[in-house]
Amino acid sequence: MSVFHGLGLTVTIASLTLKQGNSLFVWHVIAMSLGVLVFQPAALHSILARHSFKDPETRKARVMDHKLLQMAVMGSVAVGFLAIFLNKPAGFPGRHFMSVHSLVGLFALALMGWNILDAGYRQGSPFAPKLLWVSWLHRSMGTLAFTCALLAVMLGFFNRTAIVDWAAEPIVFSLPDSWHEMDGWAMNTHGEKATWMFIGATVLLLANMLVPGGARVVPRWRGDLVDKKTSCGGGDIRRRACTCSLDSTKLSLAVRQRPHGTMAHGISTANMSFPRWGGESQWVGA
């Protein structure tokens, strides 16, 4: 749903903007919107969707979708970055990276680049990539990159407040009195009402993505069963231990216990909690 949300917002922005004329700046807006509002939510949904399948090949296919969509993200934002860079006067840093919008956007791009390199390192050979791996750092950096990218979008809609002057000696950082006033491309091109609608739609997209709740989680069991002995209530209990990998937040298990050397059985229930994003744990049962 978030993908269609972002696609609708991008098409609306692109069509309304192109009606006002065509320029390099317009393609900065269109390319960045396509990468951040469409391809990036699709990439995040594809990696979340892998938890809905037990079959390793299907899970690998969802990871590959994520990989290809992230490449599309980087391609789109690269076009958007090049468009705005060429649209400004020559010289670096010059008139570049002076606003809050541009600095937050640059930070988001840096995080995306880091995560691409991190994923490339973790998958190993590009000809025989390891696709089913888990990294808390990779997830965290990806979530932060997406959040910063949408924040940059909202800041770009709101205004273009410059907070740094790179040409000054020494470099000057300041916060103008007008920092809280709406003023910029969106306001001048589409008006205040449309600008607030764009910002509101972006906030809603961010909220939907940070609390997805769409992918059904299926526990992933792996490992060999191992017989173990322990004592309980004065008698030996032979039980089996299994290592499992889970993506659910909580799991209740019925543990069947059999005193060693007897045929009697009893049932006990073990409640175990796991991190939202998965992890390794052990449970014991008959």
Side-chain angles (χ1 to χ4, degrees), residues 221-242:
W221 303 96
R222 60 187 178 84
D224 297 324
L225 293 175
V226 180
D227 284 337
K228 291 186 177 181
K229 284 186 178 181
T230 187
S231 59
C232 180
D236 287 339
I237 294 177
R238 182 176 296 277
R239 53 185 187 166
R240 284 172 154 183
C242 178

Side-chain angles (χ1 to χ4, degrees), residues 24 28 32 76-87:
L24 276 174
H28 165 72
M32 286 297 187
S76 294
V77 298
V79 171
F81 179 87
L82 186 62
I84 194 62
F85 192 87
L86 295 176
N87 187 62

Side-chain angles (χ1 to χ4, degrees), residues 2 7 9 25 27 33 39 47 64 73 87 98 114 136 186 193 211 213 220-221 233 245-246 248 252:
S2 296
L7 180 61
L9 180 57
F25 183 84
W27 288 102
S33 297
F39 290 142
I47 200 65
M64 181 59 72
V73 171
N87 187 62
M98 297 177 65
W114 160 263
W136 176 87
K193 184 177 180 180
V211 190
R220 305 191 307 278
W221 303 96
S245 177
L246 297 162
S248 55
S252 294

Side-chain angles (χ1 to χ4, degrees), residues 190-233:
H190 303 295
E192 183 177 358
K193 184 177 180 180
T195 300
W196 278 119
M197 290 177 62
F198 295 157
I199 294 173
T202 307
V203 171
L204 182 60
L205 176 61
L206 179 60
N208 286 338
M209 289 303 301
L210 291 183
V211 190
R216 181 175 62 85
V217 175
V218 177
R220 305 191 307 278
W221 303 96
R222 60 187 178 84
D224 297 324
L225 293 175
V226 180
D227 284 337
K228 291 186 177 181
K229 284 186 178 181
T230 187
S231 59
C232 180

